[in-house]
């Protein structure tokens, strides 16, 4: 029987694909370039395909490919169930990605997204009673719809705990630092005692690491004390902006705490021209940086070689609209300002503003972070084998 062109094409395609499939490195490289949703559907093809995409090696190369196509993940409006959207740099079109409403969530309060790392997001959900104000802490993978409720930590009395997320070069390693109040040093006085405990993805449990001197402050317009940034292997929190010099608190993956002063502003300046309560921490190219908002302009400072370096001062492009900055994040040299009704980007190299449009709903306690899709389990990959 004479082979038709269509039959020949199908036979050659089948033989070529069989060669690709038989070379696991090539096969995994091809699959790693696809969307997480497509990869998940391939797990049902056969055991070989399932095994090929269900190991740590594949999760690592898939995450590397995903990082070549960075985006932002946004929760424009805080609510009991979190509606998350993906924003692609450039167009900034909102595309619904996932709704996070895990079973076991404290239903009386809203969820807040506080960090994004390796395709996972960390969320908190408030718990409260007469003397304790505390949170459930969730790790979620919006792309796979997996959620993980962390064990409850020690009670925090009188004030909310502060939470920060750190992660290592190994994709399976992350740590959650939780600074909480254990009580007062002397009854009737406002001298509070604070301690820290750490949750590790490698152990799945909390471990106390002793007292700390400071509790991070509220960030302007943020409903919790967990406004932090992870940069250069450390978590940074704002602690105080009071004169003569404010301070910051940092901790590294080895659980070493440090206290550092904020940039110096002369006391001869007007109050609105010095450090203000509208001060934000961001990650600029791997360095912790500060954006200090003033009445009609802002300053940017970068932490380099154990000192603050002044980067730039510039005017707002949206002050005529009387918009209020509610949240801020960054990606490389681009700063994303979230106001009550718009997104604005500012590029440090070009010093140009761009208006990026409106959210699906008006911003209410928004949270937006850099994001890359991944297959990483919420436990960091403890269940993943090597290759």
């Amino acid at each position: 029987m004479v082979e038709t062109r269509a039959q020949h094409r199908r036979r050659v395609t089948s033989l070529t694909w069989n060669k690709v499939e038989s070379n696991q490195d090539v096969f995994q490289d091809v699959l790693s370039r696809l969307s997480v949703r497509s990869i998940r559907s391939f797990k049902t093809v056969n055991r070989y395909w399932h095994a090929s995409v269900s190991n740590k090696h594949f999760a690592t190369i898939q995450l590397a490919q995903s990082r070549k196509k960075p985006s932002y993940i946004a929760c424009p409006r805080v609510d009991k169930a979190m509606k998350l959207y993906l924003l692609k740099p450039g167009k900034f079109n909102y595309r619904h990605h996932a709704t996070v409403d895990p079973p076991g969530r404290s239903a009386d309060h809203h969820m807040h997204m506080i960090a994004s790392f390796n395709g996972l997001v960390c969320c908190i959900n408030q718990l409260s009673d007469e003397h304790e104000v505390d949170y459930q802490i969730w790790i979620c993978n919006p792309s796979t719809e997996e959620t993980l409720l962390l064990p409850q930590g020690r009670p925090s009395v009188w004030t909310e705990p502060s939470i920060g997320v750190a992660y290592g070069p190994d994709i399976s390693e992350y740590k959650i630092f939780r600074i909480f109040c254990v009580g007062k040093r002397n009854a009737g006085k406002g001298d509070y005692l604070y301690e820290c405990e750490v949750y590790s993805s490698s152990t799945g449990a909390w471990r106390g690491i002793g007292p700390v001197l400071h509790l991070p402050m509220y960030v302007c317009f943020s409903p919790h004390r967990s406004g932090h940034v992870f940069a250069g292997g450390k978590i940074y929190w704002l602690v105080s902006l009071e004169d003569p010099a404010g301070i910051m608190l940092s901790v590294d993956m080895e659980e070493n705490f440090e206290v550092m002063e904020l940039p110096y502003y002369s006391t001869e300046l007007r109050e609105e021209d010095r450090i203000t309560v509208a001060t934000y921490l961001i990650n600029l190219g791997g360095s912790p940086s500060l954006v200090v908002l003033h009445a009609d302009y802002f300053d940017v400072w970068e932490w380099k070689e154990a000192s603050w370096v002044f980067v730039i001062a510039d005017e707002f492009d949206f002050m005529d609209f009387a918009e209020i900055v509610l949240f801020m994040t960054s990606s490389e040299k681009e700063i994303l300002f979230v106001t009550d009704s718009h997104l604005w980007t500012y590029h440090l190299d070009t010093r140009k503003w761009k208006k990026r449009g409106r959210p699906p709903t008006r911003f209410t306690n928004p949270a937006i972070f850099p994001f890359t899709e991944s297959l990483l389990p919420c436990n960091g990959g403890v269940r993943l084998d090597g290759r």
Side-chain angles (χ1 to χ4, degrees):
M1 180 181 292
V2 178
E3 186 179 50
T4 65
R5 282 187 181 179
Q7 289 172 331
H8 176 75
R9 188 164 52 248
R10 286 195 296 269
R11 181 173 61 82
V12 172
T13 301
S14 178
L15 290 173
T16 302
W17 181 249
N18 287 339
K19 289 181 180 180
V20 171
E21 193 178 41
S22 63
N23 186 327
Q24 190 176 62
D25 286 339
V26 175
F27 180 57
Q28 289 183 320
D29 181 69
V30 171
L31 294 186
S32 70
R33 300 169 188 270
L34 303 176
S35 68
V36 168
R37 183 170 297 179
S38 297
I39 294 170
R40 291 179 67 202
S41 69
F42 293 153
K43 287 187 175 184
T44 62
V45 174
N46 56 45
R47 290 182 179 179
Y48 177 76
W49 282 54
H50 187 281
S52 296
V53 300
S54 301
N55 55 72
K56 187 174 181 179
H57 174 69
F58 182 78
T60 302
I61 62 174
Q62 183 279 327
L63 183 58
Q65 289 292 345
S66 184
R67 283 175 175 157
K68 297 177 183 178
K69 301 173 287 184
S71 60
Y72 292 100
I73 192 163
C75 182
R77 186 179 184 87
V78 68
D79 210 336
K80 293 180 179 179
M82 292 179 56
K83 290 187 177 180
L84 301 178
Y85 298 82
L86 285 188
L87 300 173
K88 298 295 183 181
K91 295 183 178 180
F92 283 83
N93 294 328
Y94 286 84
R95 177 169 65 85
H96 181 259
H97 189 57
T99 298
V100 179
D101 188 17
R105 179 182 62 80
S106 175
D108 294 332
H109 298 281
H110 295 167
M111 292 191 76
H112 302 276
M113 180 171 60
I114 65 169
S116 168
F117 62 102
N118 294 339
L120 305 178
V121 296
C122 181
C123 308
I124 60 176
N125 197 110
Q126 185 176 336
L127 298 170
S128 63
D129 64 23
E130 185 178 355
H131 298 293
E132 298 177 6
V133 182
D134 217 330
Y135 301 115
Q136 290 179 322
I137 304 175
W138 296 86
I139 303 296
C140 310
N141 186 326
S143 303
T144 64
E145 301 178 359
E146 182 191 2
T147 61
L148 173 67
L149 175 61
L150 302 192
Q152 201 66 33
R154 289 174 55 192
S156 182
V157 298
W158 305 113
T159 188
E160 303 96 328
S162 290
I163 299 163
V165 182
Y167 47 97
D170 186 326
I171 64 171
S172 65
E173 182 181 21
Y174 66 80
K175 290 184 176 182
I176 311 295
F177 289 79
R178 180 176 173 273
I179 301 173
F180 58 100
C181 180
V182 295
K184 295 182 178 180
R185 193 184 308 275
N186 297 308
K189 296 183 179 181
D191 189 7
Y192 294 99
L193 296 173
Y194 305 110
E195 293 188 7
C196 182
E197 58 185 7
V198 179
Y199 175 90
S200 172
S201 60
S202 61
T203 64
W206 293 99
R207 176 174 53 84
I209 59 174
V212 291
L213 296 177
H214 304 283
L215 180 72
M217 61 174 281
Y218 280 107
V219 175
C220 191
F221 299 114
S222 181
H224 47 76
R225 293 181 181 270
S226 297
H228 68 286
V229 68
F230 181 73
K234 294 182 179 181
I235 299 173
Y236 295 86
W237 291 275
L238 291 171
V239 172
S240 172
L241 304 178
E242 296 177 358
D243 290 332
I247 57 174
M248 288 173 55
L249 184 68
S250 71
V251 64
D252 59 24
M253 287 289 287
E254 286 70 44
E255 303 166 10
N256 301 308
F257 279 90
E258 291 182 351
V259 175
M260 51 202 284
E261 291 187 352
L262 294 179
Y264 173 75
Y265 285 80
S266 172
T267 54
E268 296 180 0
L269 293 171
R270 297 180 304 171
E271 185 174 349
E272 60 266 32
D273 292 326
R274 293 178 286 186
I275 290 278
T276 72
V277 293
T279 297
Y280 289 85
L281 279 165
I282 61 173
N283 182 334
L284 283 181
S287 298
S289 302
L290 285 175
V291 181
V292 184
L293 307 186
H294 306 286
D296 55 2
Y297 70 100
F298 65 97
D299 302 330
V300 179
W301 298 79
E302 187 174 1
W303 182 256
K304 283 188 174 181
E305 298 178 357
S307 64
W308 289 107
V309 176
F310 180 77
V311 178
I312 200 170
D314 206 348
E315 297 179 349
F316 292 110
D317 201 38
F318 50 81
M319 292 307 294
D320 290 342
F321 299 92
E323 295 185 46
I324 300 173
V325 177
L326 301 179
F327 196 85
M328 194 182 301
T329 189
S330 58
S331 179
E332 296 300 328
K333 293 293 185 177
E334 180 181 78
I335 305 175
L336 181 63
F337 292 77
V338 185
T339 72
D340 53 344
S341 58
H342 288 91
L343 291 177
W344 295 82
T345 56
Y346 180 86
H347 202 282
L348 287 171
D349 290 339
T350 63
R351 302 186 65 164
K352 289 185 177 180
W353 287 94
K354 287 189 178 181
K355 191 177 182 179
R356 297 298 189 174
R358 296 176 179 269
T361 57
R362 192 174 180 86
F363 284 119
T364 304
N365 298 125
I368 300 180
F369 297 101
F371 181 74
T372 52
E373 292 189 77
S374 84
L375 292 163
L376 200 64
C378 292
N379 65 1
V382 174
R383 295 194 299 269
L384 294 177
D385 297 325
R387 287 185 66 91

